Amino acid sequence: MSTGNFKFEAKGHNWVQNDVWTAVDGYTMGQLHPSSKPNASALQNALDASKAAGLPDISASPAQSKFMALQCRVLGVTHALEVGTLGGYSAIWLASENPQMKLTTVEFDPHHVEVARKNIEYAGLSDRIEVIQGSGLEVLNQLKKEIEEGKRPKFGFFFIDADKPNNLNYFNLAVEMALPKAMICVDNVVRGGRLIDQSLTEPRETAGRILVEGVAKDPRVESVVMQTVGEKSYDGCLWAILKTDA
């Protein structure tokens, strides 16, 4: 088997893929989440329909998505918030693996929202996944207001995968809407090691360092960055848990 790398590009996004990483993901997911699983058809439809609609191939990988869904199951999450819907793939993972959970997901692009809602309807999850179209910061501030007014419950899990320069802003808003012991996952922090490259000064590249250094000073959470490899390249997420006395 070849162990070479190759560069993959998708509408301005690029990453290095390794055929062994991809093969391992394919083998393990094929064994542990085969096509006979109840949600497999809906998940594949979300990928296929999103590609046909011209959406970029930047959703979370199957392995990462299932891992997040299992975290929600362990925590007994009943309400979750996602920032960055894309085509609804990760939302379908989270909700379909957690029948007790309602998910609110926020997406800026109206075309992505349209595709996601169709994919979610196909999955039979429209009653448990709420897709809100709008600016992430504006929507999250509105959700925070609704929570403060008692119109919406706090969230037990957050997945942040949207415009990277706002990662720390999203994180801070998430903490303010979180239950004690809630989990927050921020995607694409390591970015192939570019996280620690001080020569990169574009906002999209410095966002990871701003996030990590900002969270490091936050007494409300305990956090860690986990590096990963797989079919979606070498990357990693910041994971945080809200302290019970926050």
Side-chain angles (χ1 to χ4, degrees):
M1 177 183 292
S2 169
T3 58
N5 298 332
F6 63 93
K7 190 175 182 180
F8 182 86
E9 298 186 1
K11 289 191 174 181
H13 302 268
N14 62 79
W15 55 86
V16 173
Q17 285 188 312
N18 178 288
D19 53 4
V20 174
W21 303 342
T22 301
V24 169
D25 268 359
Y27 166 73
T28 56
M29 287 303 293
Q31 293 293 315
L32 302 175
H33 204 92
S35 59
S36 58
K37 288 281 189 178
N39 60 357
S41 174
L43 291 166
Q44 188 59 51
N45 173 77
L47 293 176
D48 294 342
S50 296
K51 181 178 180 180
L55 272 60
D57 180 21
I58 55 172
S59 61
S61 72
Q64 179 187 344
S65 298
K66 185 169 185 180
F67 181 76
M68 292 191 296
L70 294 178
Q71 299 306 300
C72 290
R73 189 181 301 179
V74 168
L75 292 170
V77 175
T78 56
H79 293 85
L81 176 63
E82 176 183 56
V83 187
T85 314
L86 195 61
Y89 180 71
S90 52
I92 292 170
W93 263 111
L94 292 172
S96 62
E97 291 286 328
N98 292 278
Q100 81 289 351
M101 188 173 76
K102 291 188 177 181
L103 172 71
T104 301
T105 180
V106 182
E107 173 59 49
F108 177 75
D109 191 309
H111 177 54
H112 295 180
V113 169
E114 179 184 4
V115 174
R117 284 177 174 157
K118 290 180 180 178
N119 290 340
I120 291 164
E121 181 180 9
Y122 180 93
L125 295 168
S126 297
D127 60 330
R128 290 198 292 112
I129 300 178
E130 175 189 15
V131 183
I132 302 177
Q133 193 273 320
S135 162
L137 291 179
E138 291 180 5
V139 174
L140 264 62
N141 275 295
Q142 178 60 37
L143 294 175
K144 179 174 173 285
K145 180 181 178 183
E146 292 176 12
I147 289 172
E148 292 170 345
E149 294 174 347
K151 298 177 181 178
R152 183 183 289 269
K154 288 188 174 183
F155 299 102
F157 183 84
F158 301 81
F159 178 43
I160 299 170
D161 187 14
D163 50 311
K164 306 310 175 186
N166 273 317
N167 272 348
L168 185 57
N169 293 325
Y170 293 141
F171 183 91
N172 286 327
L173 283 165
V175 171
E176 293 175 7
M177 295 187 283
L179 290 165
K181 297 185 179 180
M183 178 176 285
I184 304 170
C185 175
V186 186
D187 202 10
N188 307 128
V189 173
V190 177
R191 298 175 64 80
R194 297 198 299 279
L195 172 66
I196 60 171
D197 188 341
Q198 299 288 337
S199 70
L200 299 174
T201 58
E202 294 181 5
R204 185 176 179 83
E205 299 295 348
T206 60
R209 294 195 296 277
I210 291 171
L211 174 71
V212 171
E213 293 168 14
V215 173
K217 301 172 185 175
D218 194 330
R220 300 170 295 178
V221 299
E222 290 289 351
S223 54
V224 67
V225 170
M226 293 293 294
Q227 301 182 78
T228 57
V229 296
E231 66 177 76
K232 290 294 180 76
S233 187
Y234 163 38
D235 207 333
C237 301
L238 181 141
W239 295 88
I241 292 285
L242 196 73
K243 294 179 181 178
T244 55
D245 57 351

